[in-house]
Amino acid sequence: MELVKAVDALWKRGWLPYDVREIVARSLDESATSLVVDVIALSCSPHPPATVHPRWQRQLEEIGASVWWEGPLLEAWATRHIETRSYAERTAAELLKFLGRLPSLPQILPLPGDVLMSAVRAGLDPKVLNRVRGLLAKAESTAFPEEAEALSAKAQELMNRHALERAMLDADLPAQATSRRMWLDKSYFKEKSQLVHVVAEAFRSRAVAYDGFGFVALVGDEVDLESVELLSTSLLVQATRAMVAAGGKAGKGSEARSRPFRKSFLVAYASRIGERLAAVPSADVVEDERLLPVLADRKQAVDTLFDEMFTRTRTSRVTVRSAAGWGAGRAAADVADIGTGRSSVTSG
């Protein structure tokens, strides 16, 4: 099938399952998105699970890519979606043309069939991950800033402490950096990517925004990058909620509901979050000097991989056109939950 060959070619050009589904969903219609998910499932199905990287496998599960049909895919797809064969063929032709135009991306994971589970370095401990997700979910849902701050503080402390403990446990292993892609909403992408950037810096990682596609490429240690994704996602929820609330309190046609206000709000929010994160050094590093050479090796590994992946980058500039939006954004960031300033993590 030509579509399977096209998807196989994308894997060799650096794309991952979630990337392909996301770019198709943002560029074509729901039919093409549904079809490409099935093609992805068909492409990956011949490979035993033990030879598929865990992150690759999680992406397949996240987008719902599984072989649910028997026989030719197009016929089964058309029947399932109550469409004609000719409609399925037109959708497939449009999708094939689109996939063939996608450019290459840096290769960040081994292809299916090229990796053994034992060769993969683990990320966040599942117990830690579940607890962090629970804390951040509560922080995002509460209407009380003080409660959100306490919950996020616990999550941030837990993630950072776990990352540093893992760094000491892995001290005898070669420093190893990896990369991830974090897709953001199209609206105000440039401003939101600034927030991801400052969080990445706080977790010893680096970030590059792909404005044309809508994702931020992250480079860092596996545990640190999971933490960046978790905290960035939570802060984006908090920022968006605060931004919408500011506009909701204003009358129709007011500045607080304008695009310049919202852009300025998000830029200021990211700027202030960056200041707050930078102002709180990790107590664990200060207390245990054995971590310093380990983290220095990690930084060198991150910088080396970053330079290999991105030979041409440029600094992005954003323009602030609303003083009111800037002030409101900084004020919202002052009460945002970043998880710093706590000396211990309870077991509750």
Side-chain angles (χ1 to χ4, degrees), residues 205-235:
S205 306
R206 300 182 67 177
V208 172
Y210 280 67
D211 295 17
F213 291 119
F215 68 80
V216 178
L218 300 166
V219 180
D221 176 76
E222 187 74 33
V223 173
D224 287 336
L225 292 189
E226 283 197 49
S227 300
V228 172
E229 286 188 335
L230 285 167
L231 185 57
S232 294
T233 300
S234 180
L235 286 172

Side-chain angles (χ1 to χ4, degrees), residues 246 254-258 260-266 268-269 320-332:
S254 68
E255 182 183 0
R257 294 192 175 190
S258 67
F261 178 94
R262 292 186 170 187
K263 286 186 175 184
S264 300
F265 182 103
L266 292 171
Y269 189 96
V320 175
R321 301 185 183 277
S322 171
W326 177 267
R330 287 184 67 86

Side-chain angles (χ1 to χ4, degrees), residues 329-340:
R330 287 184 67 86
D334 278 329
V335 298
D337 225 341
I338 64 172
T340 56

Side-chain angles (χ1 to χ4, degrees), residues 11-12 34 59 72 83 92 95 126 132 145 156 168 183 197 221 224 247 253 257 259 286 321:
W11 303 153
K12 296 177 181 178
S34 170
Q59 288 194 16
E83 300 290 357
L95 180 58
V132 167
Q156 167 71 1
M168 285 303 303
W183 289 80
H197 174 76
D221 176 76
D224 287 336
R257 294 192 175 190
R259 285 185 63 83
V286 175
R321 301 185 183 277

Side-chain angles (χ1 to χ4, degrees), residues 52-330:
V52 179
H53 193 284
R55 275 169 50 199
W56 194 294
Q57 190 65 47
R58 284 197 296 270
Q59 288 194 16
L60 293 175
E61 294 169 359
E62 186 172 355
I63 66 175
S66 62
V67 179
W68 49 266
W69 67 94
E70 295 182 0
L73 170 57
L74 276 187
E75 292 181 8
W77 183 87
T79 300
R80 187 181 203 186
H81 294 276
I82 319 177
E83 300 290 357
T84 63
R85 172 75 185 196
S86 61
Y87 178 85
E89 290 175 346
R90 288 196 304 271
T91 301
E94 181 184 14
L95 180 58
L96 183 63
K97 184 178 180 180
F98 176 78
L99 296 179
R101 295 197 301 262
L102 293 177
S104 296
L105 296 175
Q107 192 87 41
I108 63 177
L109 286 181
L111 301 181
D114 292 347
V115 64
L116 295 175
M117 295 285 282
S118 59
V120 177
R121 188 167 293 187
L124 282 171
D125 180 271
K127 292 181 180 179
V128 175
L129 181 60
N130 289 337
R131 187 174 168 213
V132 167
R133 283 175 172 165
L135 290 168
L136 292 178
K138 291 179 181 178
E140 294 160 20
S141 62
T142 182
F144 302 100
E146 295 81 5
E147 182 182 8
E149 182 177 358
L151 291 166
S152 295
K154 289 181 180 180
Q156 167 71 1
E157 173 108 13
L158 185 59
M159 287 187 290
N160 207 38
R161 188 178 296 278
H162 176 63
L164 296 175
E165 289 174 352
R166 279 286 303 277
M168 285 303 303
L169 290 174
D170 295 341
D172 294 333
L173 299 175
Q176 193 176 90
T178 186
S179 180
R180 292 183 175 218
R181 298 182 187 123
M182 186 173 177
W183 289 80
L184 307 179
D185 291 337
K186 285 183 178 180
S187 58
Y188 309 108
F189 169 82
K190 198 170 186 178
E191 293 74 23
K192 290 176 180 178
S193 67
Q194 297 287 324
L195 180 58
V196 178
H197 174 76
V198 300
V199 175
E201 284 189 331
F203 279 94
R204 303 164 288 277
S205 306
R206 300 182 67 177
V208 172
Y210 280 67
D211 295 17
F213 291 119
F215 68 80
V216 178
L218 300 166
V219 180
D221 176 76
E222 187 74 33
V223 173
D224 287 336
L225 292 189
E226 283 197 49
S227 300
V228 172
E229 286 188 335
L230 285 167
L231 185 57
S232 294
T233 300
S234 180
L235 286 172
L236 285 168
V237 170
Q238 295 182 54
T240 301
R241 183 175 59 194
M243 180 182 69
V244 172
K249 297 175 183 178
K252 186 177 181 180
S254 68
E255 182 183 0
R257 294 192 175 190
S258 67
R259 285 185 63 83
F261 178 94
R262 292 186 170 187
K263 286 186 175 184
S264 300
F265 182 103
L266 292 171
V267 173
Y269 189 96
S271 174
R272 181 58 184 143
I273 289 294
E275 292 172 3
R276 291 182 63 193
L277 290 171
V280 187
S282 173
D284 296 278
V285 177
V286 175
E287 293 172 1
D288 194 341
E289 293 185 357
R290 293 176 300 168
L291 276 170
L292 297 178
V294 176
L295 295 181
D297 289 343
R298 290 274 181 93
K299 183 180 185 305
Q300 184 175 354
V302 169
D303 291 341
T304 298
L305 179 58
F306 185 91
D307 292 339
E308 291 174 355
M309 291 177 60
F310 307 107
T311 56
R312 293 183 299 174
T313 60
R314 61 182 177 84
T315 302
S316 178
R317 298 181 180 275
V318 292
T319 303
V320 175
R321 301 185 183 277
S322 171
W326 177 267
R330 287 184 67 86

Side-chain angles (χ1 to χ4, degrees), residues 13-33:
R13 299 209 302 271
W15 291 76
L16 301 179
Y18 190 91
D19 301 331
V20 176
R21 194 286 303 272
E22 195 64 20
I23 195 64
V24 171
R26 294 174 183 227
S27 306
L28 303 179
D29 58 17
E30 292 183 5
S31 294
T33 304

